[in-house]
Amino acid sequence: MNPKNVDRRTFFEATFAGAALACTASGADSPQLPRPAETRKGDMLYREFGKTGQTVSVLGVGGSHIGQVQSDDLAIKIVRTAIDRGVNFMDNSWDYNNGNGQDEIKMGKALRDGYRQKVFLMTKVDGRTKDLAAQQLDQSLQRLGTDHVELLQFHEVIRMEDPDRFFAEGGALEAFLNARKAGKIRYIGFTGHKDPAIHLRMLSLAKEKGFHFDAVLFPSNVMDWSFRSFVHQVMPVALQEGIAVQTMKPMGGKFILESKTVTPAECLQYALSQPTSVVIHGMDKMEYLEQSLDVVKNFKPLTQQQIEALAAKAKPAAMTGKFELFKTTNHFDSTAKNPSWLG
Protein backbone atom coordinates (compact mmCIF):
# COMPACT_ATOMS: atom_id res chain seq x y z
CA MET A 1 0.00 0.00 0.00
CA ASN A 2 1.23 3.48 -0.86
CA PRO A 3 2.22 5.32 2.38
CA LYS A 4 0.97 8.58 0.86
CA ASN A 5 -2.49 7.05 0.51
CA VAL A 6 -2.41 5.98 4.14
CA ASP A 7 -1.47 9.52 5.22
CA ARG A 8 -4.23 10.94 3.06
CA ARG A 9 -6.79 8.51 4.47
CA THR A 10 -5.70 9.24 8.03
CA PHE A 11 -6.01 12.95 7.41
CA PHE A 12 -9.51 12.75 5.98
CA GLU A 13 -10.65 10.37 8.71
CA ALA A 14 -9.48 12.90 11.28
CA THR A 15 -11.14 15.72 9.38
CA PHE A 16 -14.49 13.96 9.16
CA ALA A 17 -14.26 12.82 12.79
CA GLY A 18 -13.64 16.39 13.87
CA ALA A 19 -16.53 17.66 11.79
CA ALA A 20 -18.85 14.99 13.16
CA LEU A 21 -17.83 15.80 16.69
CA ALA A 22 -18.40 19.48 16.03
CA CYS A 23 -21.98 18.80 14.96
CA THR A 24 -22.78 17.47 18.42
CA ALA A 25 -20.25 19.35 20.50
CA SER A 26 -20.10 22.94 19.28
CA GLY A 27 -20.99 25.98 21.34
CA ALA A 28 -20.40 27.24 24.82
CA ASP A 29 -22.99 25.15 26.66
CA SER A 30 -22.31 21.76 25.07
CA PRO A 31 -21.52 19.12 27.72
CA GLN A 32 -19.40 17.15 25.23
CA LEU A 33 -16.73 19.85 25.05
CA PRO A 34 -14.35 19.88 28.01
CA ARG A 35 -14.08 23.41 29.36
CA PRO A 36 -10.91 24.61 31.08
CA ALA A 37 -11.40 25.12 34.80
CA GLU A 38 -11.93 28.79 35.59
CA THR A 39 -11.20 30.92 38.65
CA ARG A 40 -11.69 34.62 39.32
CA LYS A 41 -9.20 36.72 41.23
CA GLY A 42 -10.42 40.25 41.65
CA ASP A 43 -11.45 41.59 38.26
CA MET A 44 -9.53 39.01 36.21
CA LEU A 45 -10.55 35.52 35.13
CA TYR A 46 -8.05 32.68 34.79
CA ARG A 47 -8.35 29.32 33.04
CA GLU A 48 -6.31 26.14 33.01
CA PHE A 49 -3.90 25.80 30.10
CA GLY A 50 -4.40 22.29 28.76
CA LYS A 51 -2.33 19.62 30.50
CA THR A 52 0.54 21.95 31.35
CA GLY A 53 -0.53 22.65 34.92
CA GLN A 54 -0.36 26.37 34.14
CA THR A 55 -3.15 28.89 34.67
CA VAL A 56 -3.45 31.90 32.37
CA SER A 57 -5.59 35.02 32.20
CA VAL A 58 -8.50 34.79 29.76
CA LEU A 59 -7.22 37.98 28.12
CA GLY A 60 -3.82 37.97 26.43
CA VAL A 61 -1.82 40.97 25.20
CA GLY A 62 -1.25 40.73 21.43
CA GLY A 63 2.37 41.49 20.60
CA SER A 64 1.86 42.71 17.05
CA HIS A 65 -0.12 45.74 18.21
CA ILE A 66 2.46 46.52 20.90
CA GLY A 67 5.04 46.73 18.13
CA GLN A 68 2.85 49.24 16.29
CA VAL A 69 2.72 51.66 19.23
CA GLN A 70 4.91 54.60 18.22
CA SER A 71 6.10 55.47 21.71
CA ASP A 72 8.13 53.04 23.79
CA ASP A 73 6.72 54.70 26.90
CA LEU A 74 3.14 54.05 25.82
CA ALA A 75 3.90 50.47 24.82
CA ILE A 76 5.48 49.86 28.23
CA LYS A 77 2.51 51.51 29.96
CA ILE A 78 -0.01 49.30 28.13
CA VAL A 79 1.84 46.08 28.94
CA ARG A 80 2.57 46.93 32.56
CA THR A 81 -0.95 48.22 33.21
CA ALA A 82 -2.34 44.98 31.81
CA ILE A 83 -0.07 42.96 34.11
CA ASP A 84 -0.88 45.12 37.12
CA ARG A 85 -4.57 44.48 36.42
CA GLY A 86 -4.12 40.72 36.34
CA VAL A 87 -3.25 39.86 32.73
CA ASN A 88 -0.44 37.31 32.66
CA PHE A 89 -0.48 36.00 29.06
CA MET A 90 1.87 37.75 26.63
CA ASP A 91 1.80 36.95 22.91
CA ASN A 92 4.56 37.70 20.44
CA SER A 93 6.30 36.49 17.28
CA TRP A 94 9.68 36.74 15.60
CA ASP A 95 8.11 38.03 12.38
CA TYR A 96 5.54 40.62 13.45
CA ASN A 97 5.42 43.99 11.70
CA ASN A 98 7.38 42.83 8.68
CA GLY A 99 10.05 41.32 10.89
CA ASN A 100 11.30 44.60 12.34
CA GLY A 101 11.46 43.10 15.84
CA GLN A 102 9.85 46.09 17.52
CA ASP A 103 7.05 43.99 19.01
CA GLU A 104 9.50 41.79 20.94
CA ILE A 105 11.89 44.65 21.74
CA LYS A 106 9.14 46.84 23.21
CA MET A 107 7.57 43.98 25.12
CA GLY A 108 11.02 43.04 26.41
CA LYS A 109 11.48 46.55 27.78
CA ALA A 110 8.06 46.38 29.44
CA LEU A 111 8.96 43.08 31.10
CA ARG A 112 11.98 44.53 32.90
CA ASP A 113 11.93 45.52 36.59
CA GLY A 114 10.41 42.23 37.73
CA TYR A 115 7.51 42.07 35.29
CA ARG A 116 8.98 39.11 33.39
CA GLN A 117 8.47 36.90 36.44
CA LYS A 118 4.75 37.71 36.48
CA VAL A 119 3.84 36.47 33.02
CA PHE A 120 3.40 33.43 30.80
CA LEU A 121 5.42 34.51 27.76
CA MET A 122 4.83 33.07 24.30
CA THR A 123 6.50 33.73 20.97
CA LYS A 124 6.53 32.10 17.54
CA VAL A 125 9.03 31.29 14.79
CA ASP A 126 8.60 30.72 11.05
CA GLY A 127 11.65 28.60 10.24
CA ARG A 128 10.72 25.24 8.75
CA THR A 129 14.25 23.92 9.16
CA LYS A 130 16.01 23.01 12.38
CA ASP A 131 18.76 25.60 11.92
CA LEU A 132 16.54 28.53 10.94
CA ALA A 133 13.97 27.87 13.66
CA ALA A 134 16.76 27.77 16.27
CA GLN A 135 18.27 30.98 14.90
CA GLN A 136 14.93 32.81 15.03
CA LEU A 137 14.26 31.63 18.58
CA ASP A 138 17.63 32.94 19.76
CA GLN A 139 16.88 36.30 18.14
CA SER A 140 13.51 36.42 19.84
CA LEU A 141 15.00 35.66 23.24
CA GLN A 142 17.57 38.41 22.77
CA ARG A 143 14.92 40.94 21.78
CA LEU A 144 12.65 39.94 24.66
CA GLY A 145 15.51 40.18 27.13
CA THR A 146 14.95 36.73 28.59
CA ASP A 147 16.66 33.35 28.55
CA HIS A 148 13.45 31.42 27.97
CA VAL A 149 9.80 31.60 26.98
CA GLU A 150 7.07 29.48 28.46
CA LEU A 151 5.61 28.60 25.05
CA LEU A 152 7.17 28.47 21.58
CA GLN A 153 4.85 28.01 18.62
CA PHE A 154 5.39 26.94 15.01
CA HIS A 155 3.93 29.93 13.21
CA GLU A 156 1.64 30.28 10.20
CA VAL A 157 0.68 26.69 9.52
CA ILE A 158 -1.28 27.87 6.48
CA ARG A 159 -0.22 25.37 3.78
CA MET A 160 -1.03 21.67 3.58
CA GLU A 161 2.70 20.88 3.44
CA ASP A 162 3.59 22.86 6.58
CA PRO A 163 2.91 19.93 8.95
CA ASP A 164 5.22 17.71 6.89
CA ARG A 165 8.01 20.26 7.08
CA PHE A 166 7.62 20.57 10.84
CA PHE A 167 7.99 16.84 11.43
CA ALA A 168 10.55 16.18 8.69
CA GLU A 169 14.11 15.08 9.41
CA GLY A 170 16.06 18.29 9.99
CA GLY A 171 12.78 20.13 10.45
CA ALA A 172 11.67 22.69 13.01
CA LEU A 173 10.50 20.14 15.58
CA GLU A 174 14.12 19.10 16.15
CA ALA A 175 14.98 22.72 17.05
CA PHE A 176 11.98 22.92 19.37
CA LEU A 177 12.94 19.72 21.19
CA ASN A 178 16.55 20.87 21.53
CA ALA A 179 15.37 24.22 22.89
CA ARG A 180 13.15 22.51 25.43
CA LYS A 181 16.03 20.30 26.55
CA ALA A 182 18.22 23.40 26.91
CA GLY A 183 15.61 25.19 29.02
CA LYS A 184 14.88 27.86 26.41
CA ILE A 185 11.23 26.84 26.16
CA ARG A 186 8.82 24.80 28.29
CA TYR A 187 5.92 24.04 25.96
CA ILE A 188 5.36 23.52 22.23
CA GLY A 189 2.42 24.64 20.10
CA PHE A 190 1.45 25.69 16.59
CA THR A 191 -0.59 28.45 15.03
CA GLY A 192 -2.46 29.23 11.84
CA HIS A 193 -5.36 31.24 10.51
CA LYS A 194 -6.06 29.95 7.00
CA ASP A 195 -8.20 26.81 7.02
CA PRO A 196 -9.37 24.34 9.70
CA ALA A 197 -8.41 21.44 7.42
CA ILE A 198 -4.74 22.40 7.72
CA HIS A 199 -4.94 22.44 11.53
CA LEU A 200 -6.64 19.05 11.48
CA ARG A 201 -3.88 17.68 9.28
CA MET A 202 -1.26 18.94 11.74
CA LEU A 203 -3.07 17.28 14.64
CA SER A 204 -3.54 14.06 12.66
CA LEU A 205 0.13 13.91 11.69
CA ALA A 206 1.19 14.62 15.27
CA LYS A 207 -0.89 11.70 16.49
CA GLU A 208 0.60 9.49 13.79
CA LYS A 209 4.10 10.50 14.92
CA GLY A 210 3.28 9.99 18.61
CA PHE A 211 3.77 13.68 19.39
CA HIS A 212 1.52 15.70 21.70
CA PHE A 213 1.21 19.44 21.19
CA ASP A 214 0.84 21.40 24.41
CA ALA A 215 -1.08 24.23 22.74
CA VAL A 216 -2.76 25.40 19.55
CA LEU A 217 -3.77 28.88 18.35
CA PHE A 218 -6.47 29.76 15.82
CA PRO A 219 -9.06 32.48 15.07
CA SER A 220 -12.38 32.63 16.91
CA ASN A 221 -14.97 35.29 16.22
CA VAL A 222 -18.66 35.69 15.41
CA MET A 223 -18.01 35.13 11.68
CA ASP A 224 -15.85 32.04 12.18
CA TRP A 225 -18.95 30.37 13.62
CA SER A 226 -20.45 30.23 10.11
CA PHE A 227 -17.47 30.35 7.73
CA ARG A 228 -14.63 27.78 7.57
CA SER A 229 -15.09 27.38 11.29
CA PHE A 230 -12.12 26.65 13.54
CA VAL A 231 -14.44 26.59 16.55
CA HIS A 232 -16.60 23.85 15.07
CA GLN A 233 -13.88 21.78 13.40
CA VAL A 234 -10.62 22.22 15.33
CA MET A 235 -11.58 23.20 18.86
CA PRO A 236 -13.41 19.92 19.68
CA VAL A 237 -10.45 17.83 18.54
CA ALA A 238 -7.92 19.91 20.49
CA LEU A 239 -9.97 19.91 23.68
CA GLN A 240 -10.60 16.17 23.54
CA GLU A 241 -6.84 15.64 23.25
CA GLY A 242 -6.05 17.91 26.20
CA ILE A 243 -4.36 20.55 24.06
CA ALA A 244 -4.57 24.09 25.42
CA VAL A 245 -6.64 26.27 23.11
CA GLN A 246 -5.68 29.87 22.45
CA THR A 247 -7.81 31.99 20.17
CA MET A 248 -7.08 35.21 18.31
CA LYS A 249 -8.62 37.77 15.96
CA PRO A 250 -11.84 38.28 17.96
CA MET A 251 -12.45 41.35 15.78
CA GLY A 252 -10.70 40.05 12.68
CA GLY A 253 -8.01 42.72 12.82
CA LYS A 254 -10.75 45.43 12.89
CA PHE A 255 -12.37 44.21 9.64
CA ILE A 256 -15.26 42.48 11.42
CA LEU A 257 -16.11 45.77 13.09
CA GLU A 258 -16.21 47.40 9.67
CA SER A 259 -19.07 45.06 8.76
CA LYS A 260 -21.25 47.03 11.22
CA THR A 261 -22.88 43.81 12.40
CA VAL A 262 -21.42 43.54 15.92
CA THR A 263 -19.83 45.76 18.55
CA PRO A 264 -16.33 45.38 20.05
CA ALA A 265 -17.85 44.23 23.35
CA GLU A 266 -19.97 41.60 21.59
CA CYS A 267 -16.88 40.34 19.75
CA LEU A 268 -14.98 39.84 23.00
CA GLN A 269 -17.95 38.35 24.83
CA TYR A 270 -18.40 35.82 22.06
CA ALA A 271 -14.71 34.84 22.05
CA LEU A 272 -14.54 34.57 25.84
CA SER A 273 -17.66 32.41 25.90
CA GLN A 274 -15.93 29.67 23.91
CA PRO A 275 -13.97 26.98 25.83
CA THR A 276 -10.61 28.59 25.11
CA SER A 277 -7.94 29.15 27.74
CA VAL A 278 -7.07 32.64 26.50
CA VAL A 279 -8.26 35.18 23.94
CA ILE A 280 -5.29 37.07 22.48
CA HIS A 281 -6.32 40.60 21.62
CA GLY A 282 -4.42 43.48 20.04
CA MET A 283 -4.57 46.64 22.16
CA ASP A 284 -2.43 49.54 20.99
CA LYS A 285 -4.23 52.24 22.97
CA MET A 286 -4.91 52.53 26.69
CA GLU A 287 -8.61 53.00 25.96
CA TYR A 288 -8.71 49.65 24.13
CA LEU A 289 -7.03 47.96 27.09
CA GLU A 290 -9.49 49.54 29.53
CA GLN A 291 -12.46 48.51 27.39
CA SER A 292 -11.20 44.93 27.25
CA LEU A 293 -10.52 44.78 30.98
CA ASP A 294 -14.03 46.06 31.61
CA VAL A 295 -15.51 43.26 29.49
CA VAL A 296 -13.56 40.67 31.51
CA LYS A 297 -14.51 42.30 34.82
CA ASN A 298 -18.21 42.03 34.04
CA PHE A 299 -18.06 38.87 31.97
CA LYS A 300 -20.76 36.23 32.13
CA PRO A 301 -20.67 33.48 29.49
CA LEU A 302 -23.18 33.92 26.72
CA THR A 303 -25.84 31.24 26.51
CA GLN A 304 -26.00 28.98 23.49
CA GLN A 305 -29.00 30.96 22.28
CA GLN A 306 -27.15 34.26 22.62
CA ILE A 307 -24.12 32.88 20.75
CA GLU A 308 -26.29 31.59 17.93
CA ALA A 309 -28.15 34.91 17.74
CA LEU A 310 -24.88 36.86 17.41
CA ALA A 311 -23.59 34.42 14.80
CA ALA A 312 -26.85 34.63 12.87
CA LYS A 313 -26.67 38.41 12.84
CA ALA A 314 -23.15 38.25 11.39
CA LYS A 315 -23.70 35.29 9.04
CA PRO A 316 -24.69 37.16 5.85
CA ALA A 317 -21.50 39.23 6.07
CA ALA A 318 -19.45 36.22 7.16
CA MET A 319 -20.40 34.15 4.12
CA THR A 320 -18.95 36.76 1.77
CA GLY A 321 -15.45 36.09 3.11
CA LYS A 322 -14.74 39.81 3.01
CA PHE A 323 -14.23 40.32 6.73
CA GLU A 324 -12.03 37.36 7.71
CA LEU A 325 -9.30 38.33 5.27
CA PHE A 326 -6.81 36.02 6.99
CA LYS A 327 -8.81 33.09 5.57
CA THR A 328 -9.53 34.39 2.08
CA THR A 329 -6.50 36.54 1.14
CA ASN A 330 -2.78 36.75 1.94
CA HIS A 331 -3.32 40.04 3.82
CA PHE A 332 -2.15 38.47 7.11
CA ASP A 333 0.31 35.95 5.63
CA SER A 334 3.73 37.29 6.56
CA THR A 335 5.52 34.18 5.30
CA ALA A 336 3.82 34.43 1.91
CA LYS A 337 5.25 37.92 1.57
CA ASN A 338 8.64 36.82 2.96
CA PRO A 339 9.21 33.19 1.89
CA SER A 340 12.88 33.36 2.91
CA TRP A 341 11.72 33.29 6.54
CA LEU A 342 10.62 29.69 6.03
CA GLY A 343 14.03 28.39 4.95
Side-chain angles (χ1 to χ4, degrees):
M1 184 178 293
N2 189 330
K4 291 184 178 179
N5 291 335
V6 175
D7 290 344
R8 184 177 177 84
R9 184 185 66 191
T10 302
F11 162 59
F12 281 111
E13 285 175 353
T15 301
F16 292 137
L21 181 59
C23 289
T24 59
S26 61
D29 292 340
S30 175
Q32 288 86 2
L33 277 186
R35 294 187 64 85
E38 182 179 279
T39 57
R40 180 176 284 279
K41 297 179 183 178
D43 293 336
M44 183 52 58
L45 284 173
Y46 300 88
R47 292 177 183 168
E48 287 183 343
F49 198 70
K51 294 181 178 180
T52 66
Q54 301 293 314
T55 301
V56 299
S57 55
V58 296
L59 181 66
V61 174
S64 178
H65 285 71
I66 294 301
Q68 295 167 22
V69 177
Q70 294 300 311
S71 161
D72 281 10
D73 288 343
L74 178 57
I76 291 170
K77 182 179 180 181
I78 292 171
V79 172
R80 291 189 174 182
T81 300
I83 297 171
D84 290 341
R85 301 278 286 278
V87 176
N88 70 358
F89 192 99
M90 299 289 130
D91 156 81
N92 229 301
S93 182
W94 175 86
D95 67 1
Y96 280 159
N97 299 303
N98 203 33
N100 67 13
Q102 285 303 305
D103 42 278
E104 291 181 321
I105 291 170
K106 289 176 180 177
M107 185 169 282
K109 291 178 180 178
L111 293 179
R112 295 171 184 171
D113 305 323
Y115 279 88
R116 171 66 184 93
Q117 288 70 39
K118 299 179 180 181
V119 302
F120 184 101
L121 182 58
M122 175 266 280
T123 198
K124 319 175 194 80
V125 296
D126 296 323
R128 270 45 179 167
T129 66
K130 173 183 176 182
D131 290 343
L132 191 54
Q135 177 185 325
Q136 291 171 356
L137 171 59
D138 286 342
Q139 278 187 293
S140 287
L141 293 176
Q142 183 179 21
R143 294 169 179 170
L144 289 164
T146 186
D147 61 0
H148 75 285
V149 291
E150 276 68 36
L151 173 62
L152 180 65
Q153 305 206 82
F154 187 58
H155 196 211
E156 285 202 359
V157 178
I158 58 176
R159 309 161 190 84
M160 278 297 182
E161 65 271 20
D162 283 338
D164 299 281
R165 297 196 68 181
F166 180 71
F167 286 105
E169 183 177 354
L173 178 58
E174 294 182 12
F176 280 51
L177 294 175
N178 286 344
R180 187 169 64 182
K181 186 176 181 180
K184 294 180 179 181
I185 69 174
R186 295 186 65 184
Y187 309 112
I188 296 173
F190 75 95
T191 83
H193 54 250
K194 188 61 63 183
D195 194 305
I198 302 172
H199 268 58
L200 290 173
R201 185 167 192 277
M202 184 66 138
L203 293 171
S204 176
L205 193 55
K207 183 174 287 189
E208 180 184 322
K209 301 286 187 180
F211 181 79
H212 175 79
F213 281 105
D214 298 301
V216 61
L217 172 61
F218 51 77
S220 172
N221 57 65
V222 294
M223 294 192 179
D224 173 81
W225 182 271
S226 304
F227 183 71
R228 297 184 195 172
S229 179
F230 284 89
V231 165
H232 290 325
Q233 297 183 52
V234 179
M235 183 175 278
V237 177
L239 291 173
Q240 294 291 353
E241 294 185 7
I243 300 171
V245 170
Q246 314 146 85
T247 64
M248 60 179 168
K249 305 190 189 308
M251 302 177 194
K254 82 177 181 180
F255 294 107
I256 289 176
L257 298 179
E258 293 178 357
S259 74
K260 307 296 184 184
T261 59
V262 286
T263 67
E266 287 174 330
C267 287
L268 270 182
Q269 287 165 348
Y270 168 91
L272 291 168
S273 294
Q274 302 301 325
T276 181
S277 293
V278 58
V279 176
I280 298 169
H281 183 37
M283 299 168 285
D284 52 9
K285 296 181 180 180
M286 283 298 299
E287 64 184 284
Y288 295 161
L289 172 62
E290 291 294 344
Q291 290 167 2
S292 301
L293 290 171
D294 189 59
V295 170
V296 174
K297 176 182 177 180
N298 299 296
F299 175 70
K300 292 182 180 178
L302 299 177
T303 65
Q304 184 72 11
Q305 292 72 26
Q306 289 172 319
I307 288 174
E308 291 175 356
L310 271 180
K313 185 168 63 168
K315 184 174 181 178
M319 298 308 292
T320 69
K322 294 179 180 178
F323 301 102
E324 287 189 287
L325 296 183
F326 43 87
K327 293 179 180 177
T328 59
T329 74
N330 67 358
H331 183 84
F332 288 82
D333 302 350
S334 60
T335 55
K337 300 168 186 175
N338 300 277
S340 63
W341 293 352
L342 298 171

